[in-house]
Amino acid sequence: MGNTQTHQRPIGRRITPQRAQFRRLAESADIGTVTRAQLAVLAQSLTCTGLINGTESHLLVALINTAPAESFDKSGKPIVFKSNQQLAFEIGRSIGRVSRMLSRLFDAGLITMQDSGNYKRYPIRNGDGEITDGCGIDLRILIVRYAELDELVRQVRAEKKAADAALRRYRGALRNARYALSAAAELSGQVLERIGSRIERVSDFVGAAGKVSSGMLRRATAILEWLVERLMHLPRRSAEVSKTKNMTCPHVENGMHTQTTTPHLFDDSSQERRSANAEQPTPLKAGSASKWAFEESLGRRRSESNQPRRVPQAMVALQDVLRAVPALKTYGFAPSSWAELARAVPLMCRFAGISEDARARAVEQMGEQQAAVAVAVTLEKYDRQDVSSPGGYLRAMTDRARAGELNLARSVFGLAARNSMEVRH
């Protein structure tokens, strides 16, 4: 007969590279730097980080309280030798459940374990009766990682506090916006309906406020507060704005930029669709822009069939757009490249109330980069209350681009000059 192969009984828990690293880390613990009370408080707080659940935290606290307080002093060994049966009795769980939780705590780097060949836990003492080693549940890794875990708890709590503050402010801003809408009796019904639809659009976009990010809540709050300021006819926060309509653009070769759009936000703009006349028909030379004004990754979407020849636009740098459109920062946008600005266009259109069809037509006619600049200019003028129909304004710009009469560079430089004069005054 052939040789019979016998399988030895597995000894202890499965050892992985991560668990072996945790064991090595535990051996470097500086005993005496952290007290047992500090570790118990930390174990109770770890549930907020999602690292462990409530039952595992309960077991970890029981392990910490089982170790004598003097074992956390210098020359001590905070190792627990209780059996799974005893631990299960103390926390009111089954033995199998305790074994699985110990494995999860081991994998999370909150304990290390050394099992004996017969699965018993016992200390190894020297001649003086002091514990030098043992097979049991070692808590020294908590001492090593105390500063790291404590900082994690502080960070999670700070993030939760900021999220709660953003949630409270958003709900208050939404309530104030609806109250201001009902109290604004001096406005016409059409204007109130339009503003009310924008408020509800923001509310629908956020949805369940408790489930969205704090950044989204802050952005929605800024929009609602902006609508309340418009309802209450409050001046712009950028302070006293000069009413000068004609101002020289220092970045163009010659000529004046004339602001021809209406300054009245709530007036009917159905007859003012050609308000995009602010873009002067005189083209600029491409040599007046920065070398990095365009990115090769953002080519235009060309539609050659049945389309008029597109007149080349003068190039502007992204920094010029950011100086000309401070509303980008107001609404929480901080693009560092043309690609990021193009990706933010759909959200900018939502904030300004521009339809998807108007945005698609602008992209088809101008290309992604020029359409992004056009939407940014529209958002800035909408924020300034210079236009009351952003969608109509963007469509008018698209029509002018189709006719070869649009000059976005002049508008960008004109807005930048206007902002610089407002800052000086």
Side-chain angles (χ1 to χ4, degrees):
M1 298 179 62
N3 295 331
T4 302
Q5 183 178 3
T6 59
H7 298 278
Q8 292 184 351
R9 182 184 182 188
I11 300 176
R13 295 178 185 271
R14 179 173 55 89
I15 296 301
T16 63
Q18 186 180 26
R19 290 182 176 182
Q21 180 63 25
F22 286 148
R23 281 185 177 179
R24 179 184 297 180
L25 188 62
E27 294 175 357
S28 64
D30 186 8
I31 309 297
T33 57
V34 181
T35 65
R36 185 177 68 173
Q38 289 176 305
L39 292 180
V41 172
L42 175 64
Q44 293 175 346
S45 304
L46 284 176
T47 53
C48 69
T49 65
L51 195 61
I52 57 176
N53 58 34
T55 307
E56 292 164 355
S57 173
H58 187 192
L59 175 60
L60 185 58
V61 172
L63 291 172
I64 294 172
N65 290 332
T66 297
E70 56 271 13
S71 64
F72 293 93
D73 297 334
K74 289 188 179 297
S75 72
K77 292 285 184 180
I79 302 177
V80 177
F81 305 105
K82 280 185 178 179
S83 65
N84 289 354
Q85 181 178 6
Q86 181 63 28
L87 292 172
F89 172 76
E90 292 182 1
I91 69 172
R93 295 293 185 269
S94 65
I95 298 176
R97 179 75 179 277
V98 168
S99 179
R100 292 190 294 272
M101 286 193 295
L102 288 175
S103 295
R104 286 196 290 270
L105 292 175
F106 200 169
D107 291 331
L110 301 178
I111 63 171
T112 59
M113 300 183 66
Q114 179 65 50
D115 292 331
S116 63
N118 58 358
Y119 298 96
K120 301 297 182 180
R121 294 172 184 155
Y122 55 85
I124 299 176
R125 302 179 184 273
N126 57 15
D128 298 330
E130 298 176 349
I131 298 176
T132 58
D133 200 356
C135 295
I137 304 171
D138 196 342
L139 302 177
R140 288 180 293 177
I141 192 171
L142 277 178
I143 299 176
V144 178
R145 301 187 62 195
Y146 176 80
E148 170 196 350
L149 296 174
D150 186 59
E151 179 61 26
L152 177 62
V153 170
R154 293 175 184 273
Q155 181 180 355
V156 171
R157 286 178 174 173
E159 292 175 356
K160 182 64 169 60
K161 185 177 181 180
D164 291 343
L167 178 61
R168 289 193 298 268
R169 185 173 179 183
Y170 164 75
R171 288 173 174 169
L174 182 60
R175 181 174 60 251
N176 292 338
R178 288 171 174 167
Y179 178 79
L181 182 66
S182 62
E186 69 278 3
L187 300 177
S188 64
Q190 182 180 3
V191 172
L192 292 176
E193 182 180 358
R194 184 165 64 248
I195 299 177
S197 66
R198 290 173 182 170
I199 294 175
E200 296 307 319
R201 190 183 306 142
V202 173
S203 177
D204 294 339
F205 181 77
V206 172
K211 298 181 180 180
V212 299
S213 64
S214 57
M216 178 62 70
L217 291 177
R218 286 192 293 268
R219 186 174 297 174
T221 301
I223 298 174
L224 292 173
E225 292 177 347
W226 173 78
L227 289 173
V228 171
E229 291 177 358
R230 298 309 185 265
L231 284 170
M232 299 300 179
H233 300 288
L234 297 178
R236 285 175 53 85
R237 296 192 181 189
S238 54
E240 303 298 327
V241 179
S242 174
K243 299 300 182 180
T244 306
K245 290 187 176 181
N246 297 330
M247 52 192 67
T248 303
C249 306
H251 299 280
V252 299
E253 294 177 344
N254 49 46
M256 305 288 287
H257 175 84
T258 304
Q259 184 66 35
T260 59
T261 52
T262 174
H264 305 291
L265 173 66
F266 303 117
D267 290 349
D268 186 11
S269 62
S270 59
Q271 302 299 326
E272 299 186 15
R273 186 172 174 178
R274 299 294 291 182
S275 61
N277 291 335
E279 283 71 23
Q280 302 298 325
T282 304
L284 291 175
K285 294 181 180 180
S288 62
S290 301
K291 294 181 179 180
W292 48 272
F294 281 98
E295 289 185 0
E296 297 179 359
S297 60
L298 273 180
R300 293 182 178 179
R301 298 179 183 175
R302 302 186 180 274
S303 178
E304 301 293 343
S305 59
N306 300 325
Q307 291 291 339
R309 184 175 62 88
R310 192 177 299 164
V311 177
Q313 289 286 326
M315 295 190 298
V316 294
L318 181 60
Q319 290 179 344
D320 295 329
V321 176
L322 296 179
R323 287 191 303 107
V325 188
L328 289 175
K329 185 177 181 180
T330 301
Y331 287 93
F333 300 106
S336 58
S337 65
W338 287 110
E340 290 185 9
L341 181 63
R343 286 194 295 267
V345 166
L347 193 54
M348 285 193 290
C349 289
R350 286 191 181 185
F351 290 156
I354 299 173
S355 66
E356 178 64 24
D357 179 69
R359 181 183 71 85
R361 288 176 181 269
V363 172
E364 180 181 2
Q365 182 60 40
M366 307 180 199
E368 287 188 357
Q369 182 166 320
Q370 292 293 332
V373 176
V375 171
V377 170
T378 303
L379 181 66
E380 174 64 20
K381 292 189 177 182
Y382 179 60
D383 184 63
R384 288 176 169 272
Q385 304 183 26
D386 291 339
V387 295
S388 59
S389 178
Y393 185 81
L394 182 62
R395 289 182 186 275
M397 296 176 73
T398 304
D399 293 342
R400 292 183 63 82
R402 184 180 295 110
E405 301 175 355
L406 181 65
N407 196 322
L408 282 174
R410 194 170 291 251
S411 288
V412 169
F413 293 139
L415 286 173
R418 183 178 179 183
N419 291 331
S420 63
M421 290 185 66
E422 290 174 358
V423 171
R424 287 197 298 267
H425 291 285

